Amino acid sequence: MKIQYWKDSSLQEDWVDVHYREENESIDIIKKFFGSFNSIMGRNDDGVCKIHPDSIYYLEVVDRKLFAYQEKEVYQLDYTLRNFLELFASNGFVQIGKSMVVNLYKISRIKADLNMRLRLQLDNGEILILNRSYKKTFLKTIQHIKEVHNEAD
Amino acid sequence: MKLINKHNFFPVVCVLFTVIMLVKVIFEAVTQGLFENYQENIITIFLLSLLATFVLSLHYRFRRLPLILVIIVQYLFLVGVALAIVWASSFYEPLNENAYRDMFLSFTIVYAVGAVVYYISFFMGIRRANKTLSEIKAYQNEKNKNLKGEKDNEKDVE
């Protein structure tokens, strides 16, 4: 395998392209290696654990600490909500309240309550309230993702 | 640049109609000294529309309050102002015996129709959002399935 390194101080960010003829074991290892860069460290009572952003259902700030909620487990993350969104918004995370972010791909259904607030039912049965201030951004985001998918097709 | 399109067609008609009516009423008042019931009604309806639009536009300031409560309080305030205008006009001219009832109904019917339209569009928006969400998830699931299939095929070949 031919490997080249290029140093360019004018780059906005560091990036890697991998060119391959077909997927094989080496490519798989490379994918896993670079995929690990997308993992984040979370900690709970059992210790520190590597978690993948896609496994997170939603995030919430409690007492200025950011917590990530998976299907059953909860981890504390060393990010601010804003930092996390900057890094992982492309994974489908969207803000639904001042201190709450949800993973769009984990929402099973949107419902309205009597007070015309939107309730997001997640795949694990939990229900989150979508703040009216964030409704427009939320709806725009899902529409945008749909358009991106349509263009990709 | 296309000034009138399908999105602003009806708003443009409404603005044109309003401007023409107001200019006509003011012109008649200035040149012919006409300011009777017909002109007075148009000016009153215009001022009430202005006030109602302003009050309704403030809804974003009350996002922390329950929406139903905001709608009811705004309605009570506006209908109160409308009836107060009728009451104030009673000092200058005799009122029709049904003046309060007519004003109440004129305002309530328009407000109720607006609320129903808003309610229906709200639920249609949710239905659309659910449809979009299920399409997004179906796409993602399909993508994940294809990736898994490719990996399984590679394992079979090996």
Side-chain angles (χ1 to χ4, degrees):
Chain A
M1 190 185 295
K2 192 175 168 185
I3 299 178
Q4 290 180 316
Y5 293 93
W6 305 93
K7 189 178 176 186
D8 183 352
S9 54
S10 66
L11 288 176
Q12 299 278 333
E13 61 176 322
D14 301 331
W15 56 275
V16 177
D17 270 346
V18 179
H19 301 258
Y20 58 92
R21 288 162 294 175
E22 56 181 355
E23 284 202 35
N24 53 36
E25 205 176 334
S26 307
I27 297 300
D28 215 29
I29 291 168
I30 291 170
K31 277 188 171 179
K32 277 180 187 157
F33 173 74
F34 286 117
S36 69
F37 280 83
N38 287 329
S39 296
I40 46 182
M41 304 307 284
R43 62 174 182 275
N44 61 10
D45 295 340
D46 299 330
V48 179
C49 180
K50 193 185 260 186
I51 56 176
H52 197 274
D54 293 349
S55 68
I56 297 171
Y57 279 59
Y58 66 98
L59 298 116
E60 188 178 18
V61 178
V62 181
D63 293 335
R64 295 190 170 197
K65 290 172 191 154
L66 182 65
F67 291 93
Y69 296 79
Q70 289 181 313
E71 188 176 2
K72 286 171 185 163
E73 291 82 21
V74 182
Y75 294 95
Q76 189 186 333
L77 306 183
D78 288 328
Y79 288 92
T80 62
L81 199 63
R82 185 180 288 185
N83 278 344
F84 187 90
L85 268 178
E86 278 170 7
L87 290 168
F88 299 109
S90 58
N91 291 49
F93 287 96
V94 60
Q95 194 156 8
I96 56 166
K98 198 177 171 188
S99 57
M100 203 171 261
V101 161
V102 71
N103 183 348
L104 284 175
Y105 297 110
K106 301 293 185 191
I107 300 172
S108 63
R109 194 158 181 75
I110 304 169
K111 292 175 177 175
D113 65 9
L114 275 176
N115 199 20
M116 294 168 89
R117 280 185 312 183
L118 294 185
R119 296 155 70 94
L120 310 177
Q121 188 173 337
L122 305 186
D123 290 338
N124 64 352
E126 282 195 65
I127 290 176
L128 306 177
I129 300 291
L130 171 60
N131 191 315
R132 284 214 297 274
S133 311
Y134 294 89
K135 182 184 156 194
K136 204 173 173 183
T137 319
F138 176 85
L139 295 177
K140 259 189 182 174
T141 307
I142 60 172
Q143 194 57 39
H144 175 71
I145 292 174
K146 186 190 160 190
E147 282 165 12
V148 170
H149 286 179
N150 288 345
E151 279 171 20
D153 282 342
Chain B
M1 187 176 69
K2 207 175 170 183
L3 283 177
I4 300 171
N5 53 45
K6 63 179 178 181
H7 299 296
N8 68 8
F9 181 82
F10 283 109
V12 168
V13 172
C14 294
V15 170
L16 266 179
F17 179 78
T18 308
V19 170
I20 291 169
M21 285 307 285
L22 286 177
V23 168
K24 182 178 179 286
V25 166
I26 294 166
F27 186 75
E28 282 173 351
V30 171
T31 59
Q32 300 165 34
L34 281 173
F35 198 74
E36 294 169 2
N37 273 349
Y38 153 73
Q39 286 89 352
E40 194 187 311
N41 276 342
I42 285 176
I43 295 293
T44 308
I45 291 169
F46 172 72
L47 291 176
L48 275 175
S49 304
L50 199 68
L51 179 72
T53 309
F54 174 70
V55 172
L56 292 175
S57 73
L58 294 177
H59 77 94
Y60 69 94
R61 292 187 183 274
F62 308 111
R63 276 176 175 162
R64 283 164 187 243
L65 297 174
L67 189 65
I68 299 286
L69 180 71
V70 173
I71 289 174
I72 290 171
V73 169
Q74 284 183 331
Y75 166 73
L76 290 176
F77 174 77
L78 287 170
V79 88
V81 171
L83 294 178
I85 289 172
V86 177
W87 176 72
S89 66
S90 70
F91 291 103
Y92 302 99
E93 58 186 359
L95 289 181
N96 181 298
E97 57 178 304
N98 295 325
Y100 286 102
R101 192 201 64 183
D102 289 349
M103 181 56 97
F104 173 77
L105 286 180
S106 306
F107 209 85
T108 303
I109 289 168
V110 173
Y111 199 90
V113 168
V116 168
V117 168
Y118 179 79
Y119 204 70
I120 290 170
S121 67
F122 176 78
F123 282 98
M124 281 174 71
I126 292 179
R127 188 187 283 183
R128 269 199 306 274
N130 271 318
K131 191 168 172 261
T132 309
L133 207 58
S134 58
E135 282 171 9
I136 290 171
K137 289 186 82 173
Y139 180 90
Q140 194 70 10
N141 289 340
E142 192 66 27
K143 204 172 145 188
N144 290 341
K145 208 188 281 177
N146 289 343
L147 276 175
K148 196 170 176 280
E150 277 174 23
K151 280 190 178 169
D152 288 346
N153 285 343
E154 276 171 22
K155 276 179 192 164
D156 288 345
V157 170
E158 280 167 20

